[in-house]
Amino acid sequence: MPSYIIKRNIKIYFSTVYEEPISKLIKEFKFKNNVHFAKIFAKLIYKTYKYYKIEFENIPELLYIPSTINHLKKRGYNPVRLITKQFSNMTGFDISNNLKVNPAYYKSQVNAKNLLERKIQIRNKFEFIKSNKKTYILIDDVYTSGATIEEAINKIEGNVIPIILCKNVKK
């Protein structure tokens, strides 16, 4: 069942929670090259988009949380970009590549032990290339502490609606 929270006056939408069987499928998708799951995950995000009847004054562009260079080398792909591409196929919204990882950033949020470490570690991870677009849907796969989404939103100039595949309720 879709849900949302309001954090810093921004609604953050979730398609589901991070528990079995979804958590297992996400691990298969991210770490075992099962890229065909991207379409299934995009459908869940699309259902959330439709469920909440999210509307915009202008047609939004899609942004996604970019992978670090190390993760791209290890996996060969950005899982969230694959989901976003499938979501784009369903909506017709263009994908923007304007949210980038700062080239000097190398850390992984997986290694952070608590919320404070996550918030400190994520600082200055992202760069945003200005665009004439002002409305965005920001896609991510798993929301744990919110540090990644908050940092990305802080860099993006414009109206941002985050839609996340899963909310991790255990952390």
Side-chain angles (χ1 to χ4, degrees):
M1 176 81 167
S3 64
Y4 69 88
I5 61 171
I6 298 174
K7 202 165 190 181
R8 295 176 50 199
N9 293 323
I10 295 174
K11 271 189 181 176
I12 302 172
Y13 297 91
F14 305 98
S15 299
T16 187
V17 293
Y18 188 76
E19 61 186 13
E20 293 289 337
I22 292 289
S23 59
K24 185 175 181 181
L25 294 175
I26 289 173
K27 289 173 188 170
E28 292 279 325
F29 173 58
K30 290 174 79 168
F31 306 114
K32 295 193 177 174
N33 206 27
N34 285 311
V35 296
H36 60 280
F37 289 140
K39 189 170 187 176
I40 295 166
F41 297 149
K43 282 182 183 179
L44 289 170
I45 290 173
Y46 182 77
K47 285 181 179 182
T48 302
Y49 169 74
K50 287 298 194 183
Y51 180 85
Y52 285 107
K53 299 177 179 131
I54 300 169
E55 295 184 14
F56 303 91
E57 286 182 29
N58 302 313
I59 296 172
E61 276 190 341
L62 302 176
L63 292 169
Y64 56 90
I65 297 297
S67 293
T68 62
I69 291 171
N70 288 341
H71 284 147
L72 281 173
K73 284 180 184 176
K74 196 181 296 183
R75 293 184 186 129
Y77 61 96
N78 176 339
V80 182
R81 187 177 192 319
L82 295 180
I83 294 169
T84 304
K85 187 173 182 182
Q86 292 295 325
F87 184 74
S88 172
N89 291 342
M90 294 171 196
T91 61
F93 300 151
D94 291 334
I95 298 174
S96 168
N97 296 306
N98 289 7
L99 185 63
K100 308 234 180 243
V101 174
N102 179 335
Y105 187 87
Y106 62 90
K107 300 170 185 169
S108 173
Q109 285 293 81
V110 174
N111 300 325
K113 294 178 181 87
N114 57 48
L115 176 60
L116 181 60
E117 270 190 35
R118 283 177 169 268
K119 286 189 177 224
I120 291 170
Q121 195 165 290
I122 200 82
R123 280 190 197 138
N124 298 315
K125 176 179 181 175
F126 301 113
E127 296 176 348
F128 182 72
I129 301 165
K130 289 183 184 180
S131 140
N132 59 356
K133 275 289 190 183
K134 296 293 179 207
T135 306
Y136 303 96
I137 294 176
L138 177 61
I139 308 283
D140 198 6
D141 56 357
V142 179
Y143 178 101
T144 301
S145 68
T148 301
I149 287 296
E150 283 184 38
E151 182 67 18
I153 289 170
N154 287 340
K155 295 293 181 185
I156 299 166
E157 296 179 16
N159 180 28
V160 182
I161 304 294
I163 306 178
I164 318 298
L165 177 60
C166 297
K167 181 178 181 184
N168 190 342
V169 293
K170 293 180 182 174
K171 295 204 176 188

